[in-house]
């Protein structure tokens, strides 16, 4: 049973576009929400993370929007580049413990 | 970010043999490490939680006698796939948690059992 539901499964944007990936959860005890980027044949790399006490966090071209009441959070990639083409995973954990991952979204940025 | 080193990155072994995969946190002490398995185009599936100095905690459905985990120090955890079979072929990834759930992942190990 997947505790974090992620959508879409894949998306394609043109260079400069803004891919948006959405995640939803049910467990209100979750208190840490990271996003990971994974390239083929590599381990995931932490991109950005947020806690429920803020509604938005930006790091470079990556922005997390968090809606606590709706139990949803999303990743926006501003001014996307072909090098951003990768699989992105959202995740959640409670009490700083093990992560529950979404199913992943494959993003393709066309030049 | 913190560095977690996983070795080897690729291994091919014969059916029936055992393979050991190492996971090291290079610049921080990790009391907890996690082992995942990932199938092609799928998400990470947690196999077990490795705690330094104690027995690993395995997720439901994961055979602990098949996937032996040892966490002998604060910087090293090992996963040994015993009596490997072709169905064990997969991408195995470790992670180490530094603080506040901040997890850093190794590069992954592609295991192929022939």
């Amino acid at each position: 049973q997947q505790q974090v539901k992620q959508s879409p499964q894949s998306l394609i944007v043109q260079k400069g576009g803004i891919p948006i990936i959405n995640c939803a959860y049910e467990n209100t005890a979750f208190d840490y929400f990271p996003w990971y980027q994974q390239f083929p044949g590599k381990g995931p790399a932490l991109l950005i993370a947020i806690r429920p006490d803020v509604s938005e966090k930006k790091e470079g071209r990556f922005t997390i929007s968090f809606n606590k009441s709706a139990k949803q959070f999303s990743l926006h990639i501003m001014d996307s580049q072909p090098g951003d083409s990768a699989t992105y995973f959202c995740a959640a954990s409670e009490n700083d413990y093990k992560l529950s991952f979404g199913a992943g979204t494959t993003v393709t940025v066309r030049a | 970010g913190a560095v977690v080193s996983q070795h080897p990155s690729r291994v091919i072994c014969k059916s029936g043999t055992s393979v050991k995969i190492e996971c090291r946190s290079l610049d921080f002490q990790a009391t907890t490490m996690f082992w995942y398995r990932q199938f092609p185009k799928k998400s990470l599936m947690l196999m077990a939680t490795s705690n330094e100095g104690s027995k690993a905690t395995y997720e439901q459905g994961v055979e602990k006698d098949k996937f032996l985990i040892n966490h002998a120090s604060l910087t090293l955890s090992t996963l040994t796939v015993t009596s490997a079979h072709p169905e064990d072929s997969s991408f195995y990834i470790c992670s180490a948690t530094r603080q506040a759930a901040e997890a850093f992942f190794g590069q992954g190990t592609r295991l192929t059992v022939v």
Side-chain angles (χ1 to χ4, degrees), chain B residues 25-46:
Chain B
S25 56
L26 298 184
D27 53 357
F28 67 99
Q29 294 183 330
T31 54
T32 304
M33 291 186 176
F34 299 91
W35 287 95
Y36 297 85
R37 184 171 180 176
Q38 188 176 34
F39 293 100
K41 299 189 184 301
K42 295 294 183 184
S43 189
L44 286 76
M45 183 184 77
L46 180 65

mmCIF file with all atom_site columns, all heavy atoms in Angstrom, chain B residues 25-46:
data_model
loop_
_atom_site.group_PDB
_atom_site.id
_atom_site.type_symbol
_atom_site.label_atom_id
_atom_site.label_alt_id
_atom_site.label_comp_id
_atom_site.label_asym_id
_atom_site.label_entity_id
_atom_site.label_seq_id
_atom_site.pdbx_PDB_ins_code
_atom_site.Cartn_x
_atom_site.Cartn_y
_atom_site.Cartn_z
_atom_site.occupancy
_atom_site.B_iso_or_equiv
_atom_site.pdbx_formal_charge
_atom_site.auth_seq_id
_atom_site.auth_comp_id
_atom_site.auth_asym_id
_atom_site.auth_atom_id
_atom_site.pdbx_PDB_model_num
ATOM 1   N N   . SER B 1 25 ? 29.145 5.847  4.898   1.00 0.00 ? 25 SER B N   1
ATOM 2   C CA  . SER B 1 25 ? 28.929 7.287  4.998   1.00 0.00 ? 25 SER B CA  1
ATOM 3   C C   . SER B 1 25 ? 30.304 7.905  5.214   1.00 0.00 ? 25 SER B C   1
ATOM 4   O O   . SER B 1 25 ? 30.991 7.586  6.188   1.00 0.00 ? 25 SER B O   1
ATOM 5   C CB  . SER B 1 25 ? 27.986 7.611  6.161   1.00 0.00 ? 25 SER B CB  1
ATOM 6   O OG  . SER B 1 25 ? 28.482 7.091  7.373   1.00 0.00 ? 25 SER B OG  1
ATOM 7   N N   . LEU B 1 26 ? 30.721 8.742  4.276   1.00 0.00 ? 26 LEU B N   1
ATOM 8   C CA  . LEU B 1 26 ? 32.108 9.202  4.270   1.00 0.00 ? 26 LEU B CA  1
ATOM 9   C C   . LEU B 1 26 ? 32.371 10.400 5.170   1.00 0.00 ? 26 LEU B C   1
ATOM 10  O O   . LEU B 1 26 ? 33.492 10.594 5.631   1.00 0.00 ? 26 LEU B O   1
ATOM 11  C CB  . LEU B 1 26 ? 32.541 9.532  2.841   1.00 0.00 ? 26 LEU B CB  1
ATOM 12  C CG  . LEU B 1 26 ? 32.521 8.363  1.859   1.00 0.00 ? 26 LEU B CG  1
ATOM 13  C CD1 . LEU B 1 26 ? 33.065 8.793  0.508   1.00 0.00 ? 26 LEU B CD1 1
ATOM 14  C CD2 . LEU B 1 26 ? 33.324 7.185  2.397   1.00 0.00 ? 26 LEU B CD2 1
ATOM 15  N N   . ASP B 1 27 ? 31.385 11.233 5.406   1.00 0.00 ? 27 ASP B N   1
ATOM 16  C CA  . ASP B 1 27 ? 31.681 12.447 6.160   1.00 0.00 ? 27 ASP B CA  1
ATOM 17  C C   . ASP B 1 27 ? 30.723 12.689 7.317   1.00 0.00 ? 27 ASP B C   1
ATOM 18  O O   . ASP B 1 27 ? 30.653 13.795 7.850   1.00 0.00 ? 27 ASP B O   1
ATOM 19  C CB  . ASP B 1 27 ? 31.705 13.672 5.227   1.00 0.00 ? 27 ASP B CB  1
ATOM 20  C CG  . ASP B 1 27 ? 30.430 13.773 4.416   1.00 0.00 ? 27 ASP B CG  1
ATOM 21  O OD1 . ASP B 1 27 ? 29.558 12.882 4.520   1.00 0.00 ? 27 ASP B OD1 1
ATOM 22  O OD2 . ASP B 1 27 ? 30.310 14.748 3.663   1.00 0.00 ? 27 ASP B OD2 1
ATOM 23  N N   . PHE B 1 28 ? 29.991 11.650 7.715   1.00 0.00 ? 28 PHE B N   1
ATOM 24  C CA  . PHE B 1 28 ? 29.174 11.791 8.914   1.00 0.00 ? 28 PHE B CA  1
ATOM 25  C C   . PHE B 1 28 ? 28.910 10.405 9.480   1.00 0.00 ? 28 PHE B C   1
ATOM 26  O O   . PHE B 1 28 ? 29.047 9.393  8.793   1.00 0.00 ? 28 PHE B O   1
ATOM 27  C CB  . PHE B 1 28 ? 27.856 12.515 8.617   1.00 0.00 ? 28 PHE B CB  1
ATOM 28  C CG  . PHE B 1 28 ? 26.900 11.749 7.727   1.00 0.00 ? 28 PHE B CG  1
ATOM 29  C CD1 . PHE B 1 28 ? 25.847 11.030 8.264   1.00 0.00 ? 28 PHE B CD1 1
ATOM 30  C CD2 . PHE B 1 28 ? 27.051 11.778 6.344   1.00 0.00 ? 28 PHE B CD2 1
ATOM 31  C CE1 . PHE B 1 28 ? 24.957 10.339 7.449   1.00 0.00 ? 28 PHE B CE1 1
ATOM 32  C CE2 . PHE B 1 28 ? 26.174 11.079 5.517   1.00 0.00 ? 28 PHE B CE2 1
ATOM 33  C CZ  . PHE B 1 28 ? 25.132 10.367 6.074   1.00 0.00 ? 28 PHE B CZ  1
ATOM 34  N N   . GLN B 1 29 ? 28.535 10.369 10.729  1.00 0.00 ? 29 GLN B N   1
ATOM 35  C CA  . GLN B 1 29 ? 28.223 9.104  11.376  1.00 0.00 ? 29 GLN B CA  1
ATOM 36  C C   . GLN B 1 29 ? 26.733 8.822  11.237  1.00 0.00 ? 29 GLN B C   1
ATOM 37  O O   . GLN B 1 29 ? 25.903 9.685  11.505  1.00 0.00 ? 29 GLN B O   1
ATOM 38  C CB  . GLN B 1 29 ? 28.622 9.163  12.856  1.00 0.00 ? 29 GLN B CB  1
ATOM 39  C CG  . GLN B 1 29 ? 30.126 9.271  13.048  1.00 0.00 ? 29 GLN B CG  1
ATOM 40  C CD  . GLN B 1 29 ? 30.517 9.258  14.511  1.00 0.00 ? 29 GLN B CD  1
ATOM 41  O OE1 . GLN B 1 29 ? 29.767 9.699  15.369  1.00 0.00 ? 29 GLN B OE1 1
ATOM 42  N NE2 . GLN B 1 29 ? 31.697 8.742  14.804  1.00 0.00 ? 29 GLN B NE2 1
ATOM 43  N N   . ALA B 1 30 ? 26.437 7.641  10.795  1.00 0.00 ? 30 ALA B N   1
ATOM 44  C CA  . ALA B 1 30 ? 25.048 7.274  10.528  1.00 0.00 ? 30 ALA B CA  1
ATOM 45  C C   . ALA B 1 30 ? 24.632 6.135  11.454  1.00 0.00 ? 30 ALA B C   1
ATOM 46  O O   . ALA B 1 30 ? 25.064 4.997  11.279  1.00 0.00 ? 30 ALA B O   1
ATOM 47  C CB  . ALA B 1 30 ? 24.879 6.852  9.072   1.00 0.00 ? 30 ALA B CB  1
ATOM 48  N N   . THR B 1 31 ? 23.808 6.443  12.417  1.00 0.00 ? 31 THR B N   1
ATOM 49  C CA  . THR B 1 31 ? 23.337 5.381  13.297  1.00 0.00 ? 31 THR B CA  1
ATOM 50  C C   . THR B 1 31 ? 22.323 4.498  12.584  1.00 0.00 ? 31 THR B C   1
ATOM 51  O O   . THR B 1 31 ? 22.124 3.349  12.951  1.00 0.00 ? 31 THR B O   1
ATOM 52  C CB  . THR B 1 31 ? 22.689 5.964  14.565  1.00 0.00 ? 31 THR B CB  1
ATOM 53  O OG1 . THR B 1 31 ? 21.677 6.896  14.170  1.00 0.00 ? 31 THR B OG1 1
ATOM 54  C CG2 . THR B 1 31 ? 23.712 6.661  15.430  1.00 0.00 ? 31 THR B CG2 1
ATOM 55  N N   . THR B 1 32 ? 21.690 5.043  11.559  1.00 0.00 ? 32 THR B N   1
ATOM 56  C CA  . THR B 1 32 ? 20.695 4.279  10.815  1.00 0.00 ? 32 THR B CA  1
ATOM 57  C C   . THR B 1 32 ? 20.991 4.345  9.328   1.00 0.00 ? 32 THR B C   1
ATOM 58  O O   . THR B 1 32 ? 21.223 5.424  8.782   1.00 0.00 ? 32 THR B O   1
ATOM 59  C CB  . THR B 1 32 ? 19.274 4.829  11.062  1.00 0.00 ? 32 THR B CB  1
ATOM 60  O OG1 . THR B 1 32 ? 19.012 4.837  12.465  1.00 0.00 ? 32 THR B OG1 1
ATOM 61  C CG2 . THR B 1 32 ? 18.234 3.952  10.370  1.00 0.00 ? 32 THR B CG2 1
ATOM 62  N N   . MET B 1 33 ? 20.987 3.191  8.707   1.00 0.00 ? 33 MET B N   1
ATOM 63  C CA  . MET B 1 33 ? 21.102 3.113  7.251   1.00 0.00 ? 33 MET B CA  1
ATOM 64  C C   . MET B 1 33 ? 19.947 2.265  6.733   1.00 0.00 ? 33 MET B C   1
ATOM 65  O O   . MET B 1 33 ? 19.412 1.424  7.461   1.00 0.00 ? 33 MET B O   1
ATOM 66  C CB  . MET B 1 33 ? 22.434 2.496  6.833   1.00 0.00 ? 33 MET B CB  1
ATOM 67  C CG  . MET B 1 33 ? 23.639 3.384  7.113   1.00 0.00 ? 33 MET B CG  1
ATOM 68  S SD  . MET B 1 33 ? 25.158 2.656  6.440   1.00 0.00 ? 33 MET B SD  1
ATOM 69  C CE  . MET B 1 33 ? 26.334 3.942  6.806   1.00 0.00 ? 33 MET B CE  1
ATOM 70  N N   . PHE B 1 34 ? 19.577 2.505  5.503   1.00 0.00 ? 34 PHE B N   1
ATOM 71  C CA  . PHE B 1 34 ? 18.459 1.787  4.898   1.00 0.00 ? 34 PHE B CA  1
ATOM 72  C C   . PHE B 1 34 ? 18.916 1.113  3.614   1.00 0.00 ? 34 PHE B C   1
ATOM 73  O O   . PHE B 1 34 ? 19.756 1.640  2.886   1.00 0.00 ? 34 PHE B O   1
ATOM 74  C CB  . PHE B 1 34 ? 17.308 2.748  4.573   1.00 0.00 ? 34 PHE B CB  1
ATOM 75  C CG  . PHE B 1 34 ? 16.742 3.457  5.771   1.00 0.00 ? 34 PHE B CG  1
ATOM 76  C CD1 . PHE B 1 34 ? 17.245 4.689  6.170   1.00 0.00 ? 34 PHE B CD1 1
ATOM 77  C CD2 . PHE B 1 34 ? 15.717 2.898  6.505   1.00 0.00 ? 34 PHE B CD2 1
ATOM 78  C CE1 . PHE B 1 34 ? 16.736 5.348  7.272   1.00 0.00 ? 34 PHE B CE1 1
ATOM 79  C CE2 . PHE B 1 34 ? 15.200 3.552  7.617   1.00 0.00 ? 34 PHE B CE2 1
ATOM 80  C CZ  . PHE B 1 34 ? 15.715 4.773  8.004   1.00 0.00 ? 34 PHE B CZ  1
ATOM 81  N N   . TRP B 1 35 ? 18.340 -0.036 3.339   1.00 0.00 ? 35 TRP B N   1
ATOM 82  C CA  . TRP B 1 35 ? 18.620 -0.751 2.093   1.00 0.00 ? 35 TRP B CA  1
ATOM 83  C C   . TRP B 1 35 ? 17.342 -0.849 1.272   1.00 0.00 ? 35 TRP B C   1
ATOM 84  O O   . TRP B 1 35 ? 16.279 -1.229 1.788   1.00 0.00 ? 35 TRP B O   1
ATOM 85  C CB  . TRP B 1 35 ? 19.174 -2.139 2.379   1.00 0.00 ? 35 TRP B CB  1
ATOM 86  C CG  . TRP B 1 35 ? 20.588 -2.096 2.874   1.00 0.00 ? 35 TRP B CG  1
ATOM 87  C CD1 . TRP B 1 35 ? 21.011 -2.107 4.162   1.00 0.00 ? 35 TRP B CD1 1
ATOM 88  C CD2 . TRP B 1 35 ? 21.772 -2.000 2.066   1.00 0.00 ? 35 TRP B CD2 1
ATOM 89  N NE1 . TRP B 1 35 ? 22.382 -2.028 4.218   1.00 0.00 ? 35 TRP B NE1 1
ATOM 90  C CE2 . TRP B 1 35 ? 22.876 -1.970 2.941   1.00 0.00 ? 35 TRP B CE2 1
ATOM 91  C CE3 . TRP B 1 35 ? 22.016 -1.961 0.686   1.00 0.00 ? 35 TRP B CE3 1
ATOM 92  C CZ2 . TRP B 1 35 ? 24.196 -1.890 2.498   1.00 0.00 ? 35 TRP B CZ2 1
ATOM 93  C CZ3 . TRP B 1 35 ? 23.320 -1.887 0.238   1.00 0.00 ? 35 TRP B CZ3 1
ATOM 94  C CH2 . TRP B 1 35 ? 24.394 -1.848 1.133   1.00 0.00 ? 35 TRP B CH2 1
ATOM 95  N N   . TYR B 1 36 ? 17.476 -0.493 -0.003  1.00 0.00 ? 36 TYR B N   1
ATOM 96  C CA  . TYR B 1 36 ? 16.336 -0.505 -0.919  1.00 0.00 ? 36 TYR B CA  1
ATOM 97  C C   . TYR B 1 36 ? 16.656 -1.386 -2.116  1.00 0.00 ? 36 TYR B C   1
ATOM 98  O O   . TYR B 1 36 ? 17.803 -1.601 -2.483  1.00 0.00 ? 36 TYR B O   1
ATOM 99  C CB  . TYR B 1 36 ? 16.042 0.903  -1.444  1.00 0.00 ? 36 TYR B CB  1
ATOM 100 C CG  . TYR B 1 36 ? 15.642 1.916  -0.409  1.00 0.00 ? 36 TYR B CG  1
ATOM 101 C CD1 . TYR B 1 36 ? 16.610 2.617  0.312   1.00 0.00 ? 36 TYR B CD1 1
ATOM 102 C CD2 . TYR B 1 36 ? 14.308 2.194  -0.159  1.00 0.00 ? 36 TYR B CD2 1
ATOM 103 C CE1 . TYR B 1 36 ? 16.246 3.558  1.260   1.00 0.00 ? 36 TYR B CE1 1
ATOM 104 C CE2 . TYR B 1 36 ? 13.939 3.149  0.781   1.00 0.00 ? 36 TYR B CE2 1
ATOM 105 C CZ  . TYR B 1 36 ? 14.912 3.822  1.482   1.00 0.00 ? 36 TYR B CZ  1
ATOM 106 O OH  . TYR B 1 36 ? 14.545 4.755  2.412   1.00 0.00 ? 36 TYR B OH  1
ATOM 107 N N   . ARG B 1 37 ? 15.583 -1.810 -2.746  1.00 0.00 ? 37 ARG B N   1
ATOM 108 C CA  . ARG B 1 37 ? 15.691 -2.525 -4.011  1.00 0.00 ? 37 ARG B CA  1
ATOM 109 C C   . ARG B 1 37 ? 14.831 -1.762 -5.003  1.00 0.00 ? 37 ARG B C   1
ATOM 110 O O   . ARG B 1 37 ? 13.742 -1.277 -4.648  1.00 0.00 ? 37 ARG B O   1
ATOM 111 C CB  . ARG B 1 37 ? 15.172 -3.952 -3.836  1.00 0.00 ? 37 ARG B CB  1
ATOM 112 C CG  . ARG B 1 37 ? 15.313 -4.835 -5.051  1.00 0.00 ? 37 ARG B CG  1
ATOM 113 C CD  . ARG B 1 37 ? 14.967 -6.265 -4.701  1.00 0.00 ? 37 ARG B CD  1
ATOM 114 N NE  . ARG B 1 37 ? 15.106 -7.115 -5.871  1.00 0.00 ? 37 ARG B NE  1
ATOM 115 C CZ  . ARG B 1 37 ? 14.953 -8.426 -5.871  1.00 0.00 ? 37 ARG B CZ  1
ATOM 116 N NH1 . ARG B 1 37 ? 14.651 -9.052 -4.736  1.00 0.00 ? 37 ARG B NH1 1
ATOM 117 N NH2 . ARG B 1 37 ? 15.088 -9.112 -6.975  1.00 0.00 ? 37 ARG B NH2 1
ATOM 118 N N   . GLN B 1 38 ? 15.320 -1.619 -6.213  1.00 0.00 ? 38 GLN B N   1
ATOM 119 C CA  . GLN B 1 38 ? 14.568 -0.878 -7.216  1.00 0.00 ? 38 GLN B CA  1
ATOM 120 C C   . GLN B 1 38 ? 14.507 -1.670 -8.509  1.00 0.00 ? 38 GLN B C   1
ATOM 121 O O   . GLN B 1 38 ? 15.545 -2.038 -9.071  1.00 0.00 ? 38 GLN B O   1
ATOM 122 C CB  . GLN B 1 38 ? 15.208 0.492  -7.467  1.00 0.00 ? 38 GLN B CB  1
ATOM 123 C CG  . GLN B 1 38 ? 14.382 1.393  -8.364  1.00 0.00 ? 38 GLN B CG  1
ATOM 124 C CD  . GLN B 1 38 ? 14.993 2.778  -8.530  1.00 0.00 ? 38 GLN B CD  1
ATOM 125 O OE1 . GLN B 1 38 ? 16.205 2.931  -8.542  1.00 0.00 ? 38 GLN B OE1 1
ATOM 126 N NE2 . GLN B 1 38 ? 14.148 3.785  -8.658  1.00 0.00 ? 38 GLN B NE2 1
ATOM 127 N N   . PHE B 1 39 ? 13.303 -1.927 -8.973  1.00 0.00 ? 39 PHE B N   1
ATOM 128 C CA  . PHE B 1 39 ? 13.105 -2.587 -10.251 1.00 0.00 ? 39 PHE B CA  1
ATOM 129 C C   . PHE B 1 39 ? 13.031 -1.525 -11.338 1.00 0.00 ? 39 PHE B C   1
ATOM 130 O O   . PHE B 1 39 ? 12.729 -0.355 -11.054 1.00 0.00 ? 39 PHE B O   1
ATOM 131 C CB  . PHE B 1 39 ? 11.841 -3.443 -10.217 1.00 0.00 ? 39 PHE B CB  1
ATOM 132 C CG  . PHE B 1 39 ? 11.964 -4.615 -9.285  1.00 0.00 ? 39 PHE B CG  1
ATOM 133 C CD1 . PHE B 1 39 ? 11.410 -4.583 -8.018  1.00 0.00 ? 39 PHE B CD1 1
ATOM 134 C CD2 . PHE B 1 39 ? 12.674 -5.741 -9.670  1.00 0.00 ? 39 PHE B CD2 1
ATOM 135 C CE1 . PHE B 1 39 ? 11.542 -5.655 -7.155  1.00 0.00 ? 39 PHE B CE1 1
ATOM 136 C CE2 . PHE B 1 39 ? 12.805 -6.819 -8.819  1.00 0.00 ? 39 PHE B CE2 1
ATOM 137 C CZ  . PHE B 1 39 ? 12.238 -6.769 -7.552  1.00 0.00 ? 39 PHE B CZ  1
ATOM 138 N N   . PRO B 1 40 ? 13.285 -1.902 -12.601 1.00 0.00 ? 40 PRO B N   1
ATOM 139 C CA  . PRO B 1 40 ? 13.281 -0.920 -13.700 1.00 0.00 ? 40 PRO B CA  1
ATOM 140 C C   . PRO B 1 40 ? 12.010 -0.091 -13.748 1.00 0.00 ? 40 PRO B C   1
ATOM 141 O O   . PRO B 1 40 ? 10.901 -0.624 -13.689 1.00 0.00 ? 40 PRO B O   1
ATOM 142 C CB  . PRO B 1 40 ? 13.440 -1.802 -14.937 1.00 0.00 ? 40 PRO B CB  1
ATOM 143 C CG  . PRO B 1 40 ? 14.160 -3.008 -14.454 1.00 0.00 ? 40 PRO B CG  1
ATOM 144 C CD  . PRO B 1 40 ? 13.635 -3.251 -13.064 1.00 0.00 ? 40 PRO B CD  1
ATOM 145 N N   . LYS B 1 41 ? 12.188 1.194  -13.827 1.00 0.00 ? 41 LYS B N   1
ATOM 146 C CA  . LYS B 1 41 ? 11.100 2.161  -13.944 1.00 0.00 ? 41 LYS B CA  1
ATOM 147 C C   . LYS B 1 41 ? 10.122 2.091  -12.760 1.00 0.00 ? 41 LYS B C   1
ATOM 148 O O   . LYS B 1 41 ? 8.946  2.435  -12.906 1.00 0.00 ? 41 LYS B O   1
ATOM 149 C CB  . LYS B 1 41 ? 10.349 1.961  -15.259 1.00 0.00 ? 41 LYS B CB  1
ATOM 150 C CG  . LYS B 1 41 ? 11.234 2.168  -16.487 1.00 0.00 ? 41 LYS B CG  1
ATOM 151 C CD  . LYS B 1 41 ? 10.421 2.187  -17.747 1.00 0.00 ? 41 LYS B CD  1
ATOM 152 C CE  . LYS B 1 41 ? 11.291 2.300  -18.997 1.00 0.00 ? 41 LYS B CE  1
ATOM 153 N NZ  . LYS B 1 41 ? 12.135 3.507  -19.007 1.00 0.00 ? 41 LYS B NZ  1
ATOM 154 N N   . LYS B 1 42 ? 10.621 1.657  -11.628 1.00 0.00 ? 42 LYS B N   1
ATOM 155 C CA  . LYS B 1 42 ? 9.773  1.571  -10.439 1.00 0.00 ? 42 LYS B CA  1
ATOM 156 C C   . LYS B 1 42 ? 10.369 2.395  -9.306  1.00 0.00 ? 42 LYS B C   1
ATOM 157 O O   . LYS B 1 42 ? 11.496 2.880  -9.391  1.00 0.00 ? 42 LYS B O   1
ATOM 158 C CB  . LYS B 1 42 ? 9.643  0.115  -9.987  1.00 0.00 ? 42 LYS B CB  1
ATOM 159 C CG  . LYS B 1 42 ? 8.917  -0.772 -10.971 1.00 0.00 ? 42 LYS B CG  1
ATOM 160 C CD  . LYS B 1 42 ? 7.463  -0.393 -11.118 1.00 0.00 ? 42 LYS B CD  1
ATOM 161 C CE  . LYS B 1 42 ? 6.735  -1.342 -12.054 1.00 0.00 ? 42 LYS B CE  1
ATOM 162 N NZ  . LYS B 1 42 ? 5.331  -0.930 -12.282 1.00 0.00 ? 42 LYS B NZ  1
ATOM 163 N N   . SER B 1 43 ? 9.593  2.526  -8.256  1.00 0.00 ? 43 SER B N   1
ATOM 164 C CA  . SER B 1 43 ? 10.052 3.279  -7.103  1.00 0.00 ? 43 SER B CA  1
ATOM 165 C C   . SER B 1 43 ? 10.985 2.440  -6.236  1.00 0.00 ? 43 SER B C   1
ATOM 166 O O   . SER B 1 43 ? 11.219 1.268  -6.503  1.00 0.00 ? 43 SER B O   1
ATOM 167 C CB  . SER B 1 43 ? 8.844  3.735  -6.286  1.00 0.00 ? 43 SER B CB  1
ATOM 168 O OG  . SER B 1 43 ? 9.243  4.632  -5.270  1.00 0.00 ? 43 SER B OG  1
ATOM 169 N N   . LEU B 1 44 ? 11.511 3.059  -5.211  1.00 0.00 ? 44 LEU B N   1
ATOM 170 C CA  . LEU B 1 44 ? 12.397 2.365  -4.283  1.00 0.00 ? 44 LEU B CA  1
ATOM 171 C C   . LEU B 1 44 ? 11.555 1.547  -3.304  1.00 0.00 ? 44 LEU B C   1
ATOM 172 O O   . LEU B 1 44 ? 10.606 2.058  -2.705  1.00 0.00 ? 44 LEU B O   1
ATOM 173 C CB  . LEU B 1 44 ? 13.256 3.352  -3.500  1.00 0.00 ? 44 LEU B CB  1
ATOM 174 C CG  . LEU B 1 44 ? 14.401 4.015  -4.249  1.00 0.00 ? 44 LEU B CG  1
ATOM 175 C CD1 . LEU B 1 44 ? 13.923 5.115  -5.172  1.00 0.00 ? 44 LEU B CD1 1
ATOM 176 C CD2 . LEU B 1 44 ? 15.429 4.562  -3.271  1.00 0.00 ? 44 LEU B CD2 1
ATOM 177 N N   . MET B 1 45 ? 11.945 0.304  -3.124  1.00 0.00 ? 45 MET B N   1
ATOM 178 C CA  . MET B 1 45 ? 11.238 -0.572 -2.201  1.00 0.00 ? 45 MET B CA  1
ATOM 179 C C   . MET B 1 45 ? 12.136 -0.818 -0.998  1.00 0.00 ? 45 MET B C   1
ATOM 180 O O   . MET B 1 45 ? 13.232 -1.384 -1.137  1.00 0.00 ? 45 MET B O   1
ATOM 181 C CB  . MET B 1 45 ? 10.902 -1.886 -2.887  1.00 0.00 ? 45 MET B CB  1
ATOM 182 C CG  . MET B 1 45 ? 10.107 -2.844 -2.025  1.00 0.00 ? 45 MET B CG  1
ATOM 183 S SD  . MET B 1 45 ? 9.840  -4.428 -2.836  1.00 0.00 ? 45 MET B SD  1
ATOM 184 C CE  . MET B 1 45 ? 11.446 -5.192 -2.639  1.00 0.00 ? 45 MET B CE  1
ATOM 185 N N   . LEU B 1 46 ? 11.700 -0.384 0.163   1.00 0.00 ? 46 LEU B N   1
ATOM 186 C CA  . LEU B 1 46 ? 12.522 -0.556 1.361   1.00 0.00 ? 46 LEU B CA  1
ATOM 187 C C   . LEU B 1 46 ? 12.617 -2.029 1.712   1.00 0.00 ? 46 LEU B C   1
ATOM 188 O O   . LEU B 1 46 ? 11.604 -2.719 1.818   1.00 0.00 ? 46 LEU B O   1
ATOM 189 C CB  . LEU B 1 46 ? 11.917 0.227  2.531   1.00 0.00 ? 46 LEU B CB  1
ATOM 190 C CG  . LEU B 1 46 ? 12.666 0.141  3.858   1.00 0.00 ? 46 LEU B CG  1
ATOM 191 C CD1 . LEU B 1 46 ? 14.047 0.794  3.737   1.00 0.00 ? 46 LEU B CD1 1
ATOM 192 C CD2 . LEU B 1 46 ? 11.869 0.814  4.970   1.00 0.00 ? 46 LEU B CD2 1
#
